[in-house]
């Protein structure tokens, strides 16, 4: 399995699919998942001639589980080192949920010299937590509840999330996929415990406002209007206005896990944006 070792000694696992000479698309996954959650998109685009690269964030999946560095600056620096290692250029970056924050912070810290476009799917920017200047955010108690659930019974908590709000399976008439639930659970349980715990703060309390303003490339924002994890009003509707060249596309009735529940539609939207 391919790994890179970062400057602080953390091993980062990555997948590199498709033609090495093809246009590059990178994928940043959500909490507490791994690069496996992008398999539908990576297979689809690789078959279309693109080079698709996805990594397991530090503390997640097959990457190392360091005690430190589980925050957005280091996440984005790890990804930049992967770009340097593979000499990636003119890439379209795609991020889901926490991964969207990683993409925004990557651009905020490292610029767009290696990036041509970006896609934020069900993503956490500009800021998840409610503050005096962000009254539409979620109360800190929501994220305290995440941490409490991890500490009390992580295995059960990681069943409850995909069984309910993540995929919208708690909605009346929803077609529940036990396979999606079990895949989410398996990916979540491979996440290091402290990595999962620390990442809650990273995804909820990091302010990406200034990062978004620096995204001087075309940015496509995809979000479901029934997202129970990252409500659209405090995220996509604001992010799409903060980026200089943003386009918002709303999935009516869409839940948080769009790359899974709306895989075919997401695939087509990514392809159209790539080819535009």
């Amino acid at each position: 399995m391919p790994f890179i070792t970062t400057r602080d000694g953390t091993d980062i696992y990555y997948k590199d699919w498709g033609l090495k000479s093809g246009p590059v698309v990178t994928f940043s996954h959500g909490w507490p998942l791994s690069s496996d959650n992008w398999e539908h998109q990576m297979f689809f685009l690789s078959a279309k001639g693109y080079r698709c690269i996805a990594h397991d964030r530090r503390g997640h999946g097959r990457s190392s589980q360091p005690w430190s560095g589980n925050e957005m600056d280091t996440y984005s620096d790890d990804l930049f080192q992967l770009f340097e290692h593979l000499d990636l250029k003119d890439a379209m970056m795609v991020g889901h949920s926490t991964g969207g924050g990683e993409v925004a912070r990557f651009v905020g810290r490292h610029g767009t010299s290696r990036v041509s476009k970006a896609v934020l799917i069900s993503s956490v920017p500009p800021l998840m937590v409610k503050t005096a200047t962000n009254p539409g955010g979620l109360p800190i108690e929501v994220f305290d509840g995440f941490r409490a659930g991890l500490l009390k019974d992580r295995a059960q908590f990681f069943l409850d999330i995909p069984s309910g709000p993540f995929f919208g399976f708690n909605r009346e008439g929803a077609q529940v996929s036990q396979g999606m639930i079990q895949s989410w659970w398996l990916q979540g349980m491979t996440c290091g415990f402290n990595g999962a715990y620390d990442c809650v703060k990273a995804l909820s309390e990091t302010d990406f406002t200034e990062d978004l303003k620096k995204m001087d490339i075309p940015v496509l924002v995809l979000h479901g209007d029934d997202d129970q994890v990252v409500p659209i009003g405090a995220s996509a509707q604001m992010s799409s206005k903060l980026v200089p060249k943003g386009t918002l596309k709303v999935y009516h009735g869409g839940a948080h896990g769009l790359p899974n529940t709306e895989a075919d539609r997401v695939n087509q939207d990514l392809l159209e944006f790539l080819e535009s």
Side-chain angles (χ1 to χ4, degrees):
M1 294 192 296
F3 289 86
I4 65 162
T5 301
T6 65
R7 284 184 279 273
D8 73 349
T10 300
D11 292 329
I12 301 293
Y13 169 81
Y14 67 94
K15 300 178 181 182
D16 189 349
W17 292 7
L19 296 173
K20 296 296 185 288
S21 59
V24 176
V25 187
T26 67
F27 295 87
S28 293
H29 62 80
W31 173 92
L33 306 175
S34 72
S35 57
D36 293 349
N37 207 52
W38 288 114
E39 59 188 8
H40 291 292
Q41 288 70 44
M42 293 184 67
F43 185 80
F44 174 80
L45 291 177
S46 294
K48 298 290 184 181
Y50 290 89
R51 181 183 183 185
C52 296
I53 297 166
H55 69 296
D56 292 355
R57 187 173 301 118
R58 68 167 54 210
H60 296 65
R62 287 140 292 205
S63 292
S64 296
Q65 299 180 6
W67 192 255
S68 61
N70 300 303
E71 34 74 25
M72 281 294 168
D73 285 356
T74 306
Y75 292 158
S76 66
D77 291 351
D78 290 344
L79 182 53
F80 186 69
Q81 289 175 68
L82 178 60
F83 267 66
E84 290 182 316
H85 175 76
L86 297 176
D87 195 23
L88 304 181
K89 298 175 181 177
D90 202 32
M92 183 173 91
M93 301 183 74
V94 183
H96 172 248
S97 193
T98 302
E102 182 176 88
V103 169
R105 182 51 53 92
F106 178 102
V107 172
R109 285 176 68 81
H110 302 288
T112 55
S113 63
R114 293 177 178 267
V115 186
S116 59
K117 298 179 180 180
V119 184
L120 307 179
I121 306 176
S122 310
S123 293
V124 298
L127 175 61
M128 280 284 288
V129 72
K130 181 178 181 179
T131 66
T133 56
N134 187 46
L138 296 174
I140 189 65
E141 288 79 12
V142 172
F143 306 106
D144 289 341
F146 278 30
R147 286 180 278 260
L150 281 166
L151 293 174
K152 181 180 179 181
D153 187 346
R154 176 164 77 138
Q156 184 59 52
F157 185 54
F158 281 3
L159 282 176
D160 293 341
I161 294 173
S163 298
F166 194 91
F167 298 120
F169 291 157
N170 55 340
R171 295 307 198 201
E172 184 177 354
Q175 295 184 341
V176 177
S177 167
Q178 289 299 323
M180 284 188 191
I181 294 170
Q182 291 173 22
S183 177
W184 200 103
W185 181 88
L186 180 61
Q187 291 177 63
M189 291 303 292
T190 64
C191 187
F193 195 94
N194 73 300
Y197 188 91
D198 290 351
C199 192
V200 174
K201 181 179 178 66
L203 70 90
S204 62
E205 298 182 43
T206 304
D207 189 340
F208 300 99
T209 301
E210 296 306 314
D211 302 304
L212 293 169
K213 293 177 181 178
K214 294 177 182 178
M215 298 183 78
D216 58 348
I217 51 175
V219 178
L220 176 63
V221 182
L222 305 178
H223 216 102
D225 62 7
D226 191 31
D227 191 325
Q228 301 170 68
V229 179
V230 182
I232 189 171
S235 56
Q237 290 179 349
M238 297 176 66
S239 292
S240 59
K241 296 175 182 178
L242 287 167
V243 294
K245 303 176 183 178
T247 300
L248 173 62
K249 189 166 188 177
V250 179
Y251 285 37
H252 179 65
H256 187 62
L258 294 181
N260 311 99
T261 59
E262 301 281 354
D264 291 343
R265 187 175 174 187
V266 169
N267 290 350
Q268 287 298 327
D269 283 340
L270 293 179
L271 182 62
E272 289 177 12
F273 190 55
L274 275 165
E275 296 180 344
S276 65

